[in-house]
Amino acid sequence: MLARRRSSRLDEERQAVEQHVEDAFKLHDEASDVVLLRRSSSAYLPPNLPPTDDNLRVAKHVIQDVYSIQEMYERQHFIENVACIIAMAGVILVILDNKYIVNKNSKLGLRIVNSVLTKILMSCIFWRFVLERRILIRRNVLPPNVSIVRMPKQLVQLALELAVCFIIVPPGTDGSFEVRQWKYHADGESCRPPFILQDGSCYLEYSYPFEVLGLFSLCRLYMIPRVIRNLSSFASYRTSYLGTLHRVDTMTPLFAIKCFLQSHPFRLLLASSFGTLIITSYALAIVEAPVNPNLAPLSNAIWLVALTMATVGYGDIVPVTTAGQVLLVCGGMVAGILLVAALSAALFALLRLNDRDKRFIHSLRFHQHEFQLKQACARTIQTVWRRFNDVKPGSRPHRKRKYLFTLLSVTDTANYMLTTTF
């Protein structure tokens, strides 16, 4: 429904622009043609375009190409947003399947829904690839009717995305699988339960239910930067065209994230840090539950991930399994520390004085210095005036004239200092 509304809106806008261009070509005033063409059409048309039928067809063709590319961009962004919503829904279903749902019928229903959503997600990914190919052809980046084989970069990206999104736990899958994890070399006395001694090494054996494999769906979170780009003001054909002129690829999610960090750093960093904390804590609690009861409660997992993100290690709770250690390294140390470091940098940048603050402080110090100088001059004049008044009437006249000359010279000096300094 939203895509149809956008398409109809673009069609109406395109028809209005074509009508304006056609009216401009009917006029015989060349200057008005140029102004109207430049203001009404979104394409960069030649400035001196004579009003002929062939040029009118060329202008309409250019306008149709521009609006068709814009429509493709909007469709691609809509598909990316829908795919991200479906991916997030799949992650939530996996967490519910592993952490909260116990009933087999409920688990079966969740997995059926997740399978349907996965098929829709893969369809969205493939349709996005088709739209990207059409956009590149319309932008003359690729030749017309190019085969998929001649698009190795896009083809590898499509294969990786399909492989990441295809990993699910099929409905009806039940049971568990055993995991044996080597810990250290030991003898019979040092290797105690829950560890098992075998061939001079100490192993940790535990079992996972098959639904734990659904945690690989966390890799679908790579779609979030695309949504950030689509929600920004840089996801349009005009911005992409201007970026191409300046050799800047504005359609990459990295460019939108950098712009967001410049304009709204705390919103992006706080949301990313909180999301990383919650998702990593849930995954860590799920993979550590079979063998590490200390991390089975979600509160303990949040505590451990928060300490790791803050680069504080108390050592009271540690992951035991290899999967838990990998999750803590990826989510807590790598992503968490980077986000906390970026948040600290944004905080210090906020506390740093900008140019306007520096100008105000300079003006404030200037006025304070002016006031102090005036006070010093006033005290000097008052001191000389008191000495002048303290002269007794019967004293020598030249002494009184001396203080009077001193008073006049001090007054002139203070006036000169105030006028030359300020």
PDB file of all heavy atoms in Angstrom, residues 289-307:
ATOM      1  N   ALA A 289      23.570 -21.391  29.599  1.00  0.00           N
ATOM      2  CA  ALA A 289      22.614 -22.018  30.520  1.00  0.00           C
ATOM      3  C   ALA A 289      22.889 -23.499  30.782  1.00  0.00           C
ATOM      4  O   ALA A 289      22.739 -23.956  31.927  1.00  0.00           O
ATOM      5  CB  ALA A 289      21.192 -21.824  29.987  1.00  0.00           C
ATOM      6  N   PRO A 290      23.305 -24.334  29.805  1.00  0.00           N
ATOM      7  CA  PRO A 290      23.465 -25.769  30.102  1.00  0.00           C
ATOM      8  C   PRO A 290      24.581 -26.092  31.080  1.00  0.00           C
ATOM      9  O   PRO A 290      24.512 -27.121  31.767  1.00  0.00           O
ATOM     10  CB  PRO A 290      23.757 -26.377  28.721  1.00  0.00           C
ATOM     11  CG  PRO A 290      23.238 -25.400  27.739  1.00  0.00           C
ATOM     12  CD  PRO A 290      23.458 -24.074  28.365  1.00  0.00           C
ATOM     13  N   VAL A 291      25.617 -25.260  31.165  1.00  0.00           N
ATOM     14  CA  VAL A 291      26.786 -25.639  31.951  1.00  0.00           C
ATOM     15  C   VAL A 291      27.186 -24.584  32.978  1.00  0.00           C
ATOM     16  O   VAL A 291      27.937 -24.879  33.903  1.00  0.00           O
ATOM     17  CB  VAL A 291      27.972 -25.927  31.004  1.00  0.00           C
ATOM     18  CG1 VAL A 291      28.451 -24.654  30.336  1.00  0.00           C
ATOM     19  CG2 VAL A 291      29.097 -26.641  31.721  1.00  0.00           C
ATOM     20  N   ASN A 292      26.695 -23.380  32.840  1.00  0.00           N
ATOM     21  CA  ASN A 292      27.103 -22.290  33.727  1.00  0.00           C
ATOM     22  C   ASN A 292      25.860 -21.673  34.359  1.00  0.00           C
ATOM     23  O   ASN A 292      25.246 -20.764  33.794  1.00  0.00           O
ATOM     24  CB  ASN A 292      27.878 -21.235  32.935  1.00  0.00           C
ATOM     25  CG  ASN A 292      28.588 -20.239  33.838  1.00  0.00           C
ATOM     26  OD1 ASN A 292      28.463 -20.295  35.062  1.00  0.00           O
ATOM     27  ND2 ASN A 292      29.332 -19.331  33.235  1.00  0.00           N
ATOM     28  N   PRO A 293      25.445 -22.138  35.532  1.00  0.00           N
ATOM     29  CA  PRO A 293      24.221 -21.593  36.144  1.00  0.00           C
ATOM     30  C   PRO A 293      24.360 -20.147  36.591  1.00  0.00           C
ATOM     31  O   PRO A 293      23.354 -19.471  36.814  1.00  0.00           O
ATOM     32  CB  PRO A 293      23.986 -22.526  37.341  1.00  0.00           C
ATOM     33  CG  PRO A 293      25.327 -23.101  37.648  1.00  0.00           C
ATOM     34  CD  PRO A 293      26.047 -23.212  36.342  1.00  0.00           C
ATOM     35  N   ASN A 294      25.596 -19.654  36.725  1.00  0.00           N
ATOM     36  CA  ASN A 294      25.761 -18.261  37.140  1.00  0.00           C
ATOM     37  C   ASN A 294      25.287 -17.281  36.069  1.00  0.00           C
ATOM     38  O   ASN A 294      24.861 -16.167  36.382  1.00  0.00           O
ATOM     39  CB  ASN A 294      27.233 -17.985  37.457  1.00  0.00           C
ATOM     40  CG  ASN A 294      27.708 -18.744  38.674  1.00  0.00           C
ATOM     41  OD1 ASN A 294      26.938 -18.970  39.617  1.00  0.00           O
ATOM     42  ND2 ASN A 294      28.967 -19.162  38.672  1.00  0.00           N
ATOM     43  N   LEU A 295      25.376 -17.692  34.804  1.00  0.00           N
ATOM     44  CA  LEU A 295      24.963 -16.820  33.712  1.00  0.00           C
ATOM     45  C   LEU A 295      23.589 -17.167  33.165  1.00  0.00           C
ATOM     46  O   LEU A 295      23.156 -16.559  32.183  1.00  0.00           O
ATOM     47  CB  LEU A 295      25.985 -16.880  32.566  1.00  0.00           C
ATOM     48  CG  LEU A 295      27.255 -16.056  32.773  1.00  0.00           C
ATOM     49  CD1 LEU A 295      28.225 -16.287  31.634  1.00  0.00           C
ATOM     50  CD2 LEU A 295      26.927 -14.582  32.894  1.00  0.00           C
ATOM     51  N   ALA A 296      22.928 -18.141  33.753  1.00  0.00           N
ATOM     52  CA  ALA A 296      21.585 -18.475  33.286  1.00  0.00           C
ATOM     53  C   ALA A 296      20.595 -17.338  33.529  1.00  0.00           C
ATOM     54  O   ALA A 296      19.781 -17.033  32.647  1.00  0.00           O
ATOM     55  CB  ALA A 296      21.105 -19.764  33.946  1.00  0.00           C
ATOM     56  N   PRO A 297      20.622 -16.652  34.682  1.00  0.00           N
ATOM     57  CA  PRO A 297      19.738 -15.489  34.835  1.00  0.00           C
ATOM     58  C   PRO A 297      20.160 -14.351  33.905  1.00  0.00           C
ATOM     59  O   PRO A 297      21.352 -14.093  33.704  1.00  0.00           O
ATOM     60  CB  PRO A 297      19.911 -15.099  36.308  1.00  0.00           C
ATOM     61  CG  PRO A 297      20.458 -16.301  36.971  1.00  0.00           C
ATOM     62  CD  PRO A 297      21.310 -16.981  35.945  1.00  0.00           C
ATOM     63  N   LEU A 298      19.184 -13.680  33.346  1.00  0.00           N
ATOM     64  CA  LEU A 298      19.478 -12.593  32.409  1.00  0.00           C
ATOM     65  C   LEU A 298      20.164 -11.426  33.105  1.00  0.00           C
ATOM     66  O   LEU A 298      20.998 -10.742  32.500  1.00  0.00           O
ATOM     67  CB  LEU A 298      18.176 -12.125  31.745  1.00  0.00           C
ATOM     68  CG  LEU A 298      18.309 -11.020  30.698  1.00  0.00           C
ATOM     69  CD1 LEU A 298      19.164 -11.478  29.527  1.00  0.00           C
ATOM     70  CD2 LEU A 298      16.932 -10.579  30.215  1.00  0.00           C
ATOM     71  N   SER A 299      19.853 -11.206  34.370  1.00  0.00           N
ATOM     72  CA  SER A 299      20.464 -10.081  35.087  1.00  0.00           C
ATOM     73  C   SER A 299      21.973 -10.260  35.216  1.00  0.00           C
ATOM     74  O   SER A 299      22.743  -9.302  35.058  1.00  0.00           O
ATOM     75  CB  SER A 299      19.823  -9.939  36.465  1.00  0.00           C
ATOM     76  OG  SER A 299      19.978 -11.146  37.207  1.00  0.00           O
ATOM     77  N   ASN A 300      22.415 -11.493  35.485  1.00  0.00           N
ATOM     78  CA  ASN A 300      23.858 -11.734  35.580  1.00  0.00           C
ATOM     79  C   ASN A 300      24.540 -11.561  34.228  1.00  0.00           C
ATOM     80  O   ASN A 300      25.669 -11.052  34.147  1.00  0.00           O
ATOM     81  CB  ASN A 300      24.117 -13.139  36.115  1.00  0.00           C
ATOM     82  CG  ASN A 300      23.706 -13.286  37.565  1.00  0.00           C
ATOM     83  OD1 ASN A 300      23.447 -12.290  38.249  1.00  0.00           O
ATOM     84  ND2 ASN A 300      23.618 -14.515  38.045  1.00  0.00           N
ATOM     85  N   ALA A 301      23.868 -11.982  33.165  1.00  0.00           N
ATOM     86  CA  ALA A 301      24.446 -11.802  31.833  1.00  0.00           C
ATOM     87  C   ALA A 301      24.556 -10.320  31.480  1.00  0.00           C
ATOM     88  O   ALA A 301      25.566  -9.873  30.908  1.00  0.00           O
ATOM     89  CB  ALA A 301      23.601 -12.541  30.798  1.00  0.00           C
ATOM     90  N   ILE A 302      23.537  -9.546  31.818  1.00  0.00           N
ATOM     91  CA  ILE A 302      23.597  -8.098  31.571  1.00  0.00           C
ATOM     92  C   ILE A 302      24.725  -7.469  32.380  1.00  0.00           C
ATOM     93  O   ILE A 302      25.453  -6.587  31.896  1.00  0.00           O
ATOM     94  CB  ILE A 302      22.239  -7.451  31.903  1.00  0.00           C
ATOM     95  CG1 ILE A 302      21.177  -7.919  30.910  1.00  0.00           C
ATOM     96  CG2 ILE A 302      22.339  -5.935  31.887  1.00  0.00           C
ATOM     97  CD1 ILE A 302      19.785  -7.405  31.214  1.00  0.00           C
ATOM     98  N   TRP A 303      24.886  -7.928  33.616  1.00  0.00           N
ATOM     99  CA  TRP A 303      25.964  -7.411  34.466  1.00  0.00           C
ATOM    100  C   TRP A 303      27.331  -7.695  33.847  1.00  0.00           C
ATOM    101  O   TRP A 303      28.191  -6.808  33.785  1.00  0.00           O
ATOM    102  CB  TRP A 303      25.845  -8.045  35.847  1.00  0.00           C
ATOM    103  CG  TRP A 303      27.013  -7.824  36.760  1.00  0.00           C
ATOM    104  CD1 TRP A 303      27.967  -8.730  37.102  1.00  0.00           C
ATOM    105  CD2 TRP A 303      27.345  -6.616  37.452  1.00  0.00           C
ATOM    106  NE1 TRP A 303      28.881  -8.183  37.960  1.00  0.00           N
ATOM    107  CE2 TRP A 303      28.523  -6.872  38.199  1.00  0.00           C
ATOM    108  CE3 TRP A 303      26.776  -5.352  37.519  1.00  0.00           C
ATOM    109  CZ2 TRP A 303      29.127  -5.917  38.996  1.00  0.00           C
ATOM    110  CZ3 TRP A 303      27.384  -4.388  38.315  1.00  0.00           C
ATOM    111  CH2 TRP A 303      28.543  -4.671  39.037  1.00  0.00           C
ATOM    112  N   LEU A 304      27.537  -8.910  33.363  1.00  0.00           N
ATOM    113  CA  LEU A 304      28.827  -9.270  32.775  1.00  0.00           C
ATOM    114  C   LEU A 304      29.090  -8.491  31.490  1.00  0.00           C
ATOM    115  O   LEU A 304      30.198  -7.972  31.280  1.00  0.00           O
ATOM    116  CB  LEU A 304      28.858 -10.774  32.500  1.00  0.00           C
ATOM    117  CG  LEU A 304      30.118 -11.302  31.801  1.00  0.00           C
ATOM    118  CD1 LEU A 304      31.361 -11.017  32.630  1.00  0.00           C
ATOM    119  CD2 LEU A 304      29.987 -12.789  31.520  1.00  0.00           C
ATOM    120  N   VAL A 305      28.092  -8.381  30.628  1.00  0.00           N
ATOM    121  CA  VAL A 305      28.289  -7.662  29.362  1.00  0.00           C
ATOM    122  C   VAL A 305      28.510  -6.174  29.617  1.00  0.00           C
ATOM    123  O   VAL A 305      29.347  -5.532  28.963  1.00  0.00           O
ATOM    124  CB  VAL A 305      27.083  -7.897  28.430  1.00  0.00           C
ATOM    125  CG1 VAL A 305      27.230  -7.084  27.150  1.00  0.00           C
ATOM    126  CG2 VAL A 305      26.962  -9.369  28.084  1.00  0.00           C
ATOM    127  N   ALA A 306      27.785  -5.615  30.582  1.00  0.00           N
ATOM    128  CA  ALA A 306      27.970  -4.195  30.899  1.00  0.00           C
ATOM    129  C   ALA A 306      29.371  -3.929  31.440  1.00  0.00           C
ATOM    130  O   ALA A 306      30.011  -2.929  31.081  1.00  0.00           O
ATOM    131  CB  ALA A 306      26.910  -3.745  31.898  1.00  0.00           C
ATOM    132  N   LEU A 307      29.868  -4.814  32.288  1.00  0.00           N
ATOM    133  CA  LEU A 307      31.233  -4.648  32.798  1.00  0.00           C
ATOM    134  C   LEU A 307      32.260  -4.776  31.681  1.00  0.00           C
ATOM    135  O   LEU A 307      33.264  -4.051  31.653  1.00  0.00           O
ATOM    136  CB  LEU A 307      31.512  -5.684  33.886  1.00  0.00           C
ATOM    137  CG  LEU A 307      30.774  -5.510  35.217  1.00  0.00           C
ATOM    138  CD1 LEU A 307      31.182  -6.610  36.177  1.00  0.00           C
ATOM    139  CD2 LEU A 307      31.055  -4.148  35.823  1.00  0.00           C
TER     140      LEU A 307
END
